[in-house]
Amino acid sequence: LEDGDPWHHAVTTKYFAYQLSTSRPAEIGQFVNYVAPYPPGYDLLMSILYQPSHQMMWTLKYFNALLLALAVLFFGIMAYEFTKSYAKSLFATFLLVAIPSFLGHFIWSETLAVVAFFPAFYCIKKLEDTAVSSNFFINTFLQKCWITNKWMIPAILITASIMVTQPIAAYAFGVFLMIYWFVESLYNKKFVKTIFMIAVIGLLLSVVLYWAPVKIKFDIFGSSEKTQTTSKFTELKWK
């Protein structure tokens, strides 16, 4: 493993695997960068994959590379959905992989967050397909929850998952999603409610299930000692 991030993810992954929890006692301090209140999505996935083999370096390297490969596949599928052309989607995928700024082999949580970008926009593009469910009662219930299209459900779940995987990627995804919604609204000359509701419900879901409890427990964005980084005192207390 190289540099700092992969080692921090290795520690967090092992902590999740042995504690069977993504949280930590607030009183011990933040003993490593990627435990709560940092969003746990990437290390949670790695901790599940780590448990069968108990080989940390192999788990992180192999599955990180697998995620990168899936990113290429998912982008190609998404590009075809937008272009309806194999040649254009293949060329777009080549350009993505060729640019130096695309993901490399480095192990960090951005990998999982960016991989989730492409299925999210694939589902959003598929919103052109109508009908939530053929079942009248399911259809009525989902519509009361502002879900008017069957593709909204996976789009909302992926959106919420990005929000609890990596903060910067979550912000970038939100910007991309709002730009897409704005352009679609201009193009259709109407307020595109489905895309807007995906962003709102996905964000609310992540807040209710993760960010609100974390805010209450660790006072994030506040000045509480719970949010302070590792000190000699918290290290000794943890030991």
Side-chain angles (χ1 to χ4, degrees), residues 51-65:
Q51 291 181 61
S53 67
H54 289 276
Q55 297 179 21
M56 182 61 69
M57 290 193 181
W58 181 88
T59 299
L60 293 180
K61 289 183 177 183
Y62 177 82
F63 287 106
N64 193 76

Side-chain angles (χ1 to χ4, degrees), residues 186-198:
L186 285 180
Y187 180 79
N188 292 292
K189 298 180 180 179
K190 66 177 182 180
F191 185 92
V192 181
K193 185 171 67 173
T194 51
I195 299 175
F196 184 79
M197 292 310 301
I198 286 170

Side-chain angles (χ1 to χ4, degrees), residues 107-122:
I107 296 168
W108 55 0
S109 54
E110 282 89 340
T111 302
L112 179 59
V114 172
V115 168
F117 265 51
F118 309 132
F121 278 99
Y122 174 84

Side-chain angles (χ1 to χ4, degrees), residues 155-165 173 198 201-203 205-206 209 211:
I156 288 169
L157 294 176
I158 297 172
T159 298
S161 70
I162 294 173
M163 299 298 171
V164 295
T165 299
F173 176 77
I198 286 170
I201 299 175
L203 178 61
L205 193 61
S206 68
L209 295 180
W211 289 111

Side-chain angles (χ1 to χ4, degrees), residues 3 17 44 87 153 163 205 211 227:
D3 298 329
L44 172 61
I153 299 173
M163 299 298 171
L205 193 61
W211 289 111
T227 62

